[in-house]
Amino acid sequence: MSGNAAQAAKFYREVAENDVMWTLRDKGGYPAPKTSSGKRAVPFWSSKSRVEKIIASVPAYKGFWPERVTYNKFIHYWVETLSRSNELVGVNWSGKRATGYDLPPEFVERSIEIEKRNLREK
């Protein structure tokens, strides 16, 4: 499993377990940088410590702060909003340039739901 795939799997599992994810924002709002495909992606992380690490280590995110997002808000606000604007979800971006998988919001929601189902069946 690649590093990005491992980060995505951890994201789905941790969000399924905790019903919480994190993004970041500043006075101007939420970042949505362009991806290599030309689409924009809003980043989300599965823990506060992950987003704090990005804020501390990636110059582009200096001055941002973590924002908690419940899974309920993600599926009822973010999935619809990002889908409508044809934007992606950045999943547990990491590293010096804060990169990782950028996926359609519906795919992220489905993947978390699969993890939730797997947790209930254990």
Side-chain angles (χ1 to χ4, degrees), residues 3 5 8 11 16-17 19 21 36 40 42 48-49 52 54 57 59 64 68-69 72 82 86-87 93 104 111 118:
F11 178 88
E17 290 171 349
D19 283 326
M21 62 184 72
S36 59
R40 295 198 174 273
V42 176
K48 186 178 183 184
S49 62
E52 287 174 333
I54 294 297
S57 64
F64 283 74
R68 183 179 185 269
V69 177
N72 190 47
L82 295 173
N86 199 28
E87 292 178 298
W93 286 354
S111 297
N118 291 341

Side-chain angles (χ1 to χ4, degrees), residues 63-116:
F64 283 74
W65 58 85
E67 183 167 290
R68 183 179 185 269
V69 177
T70 65
Y71 180 61
N72 190 47
K73 183 173 183 177
F74 178 75
I75 61 173
H76 291 104
Y77 172 77
W78 283 103
V79 170
E80 181 179 323
T81 300
L82 295 173
S83 294
R84 199 174 330 118
S85 60
N86 199 28
E87 292 178 298
L88 303 172
V89 174
V91 177
N92 269 358
W93 286 354
S94 61
K96 294 177 183 177
R97 294 180 44 226
T99 59
Y101 280 159
D102 304 310
L103 303 164
E106 300 84 2
F107 179 88
V108 173
E109 179 184 3
R110 272 193 314 275
S111 297
I112 294 168
E113 287 299 322
I114 289 167
E115 281 297 319
K116 284 180 163 294

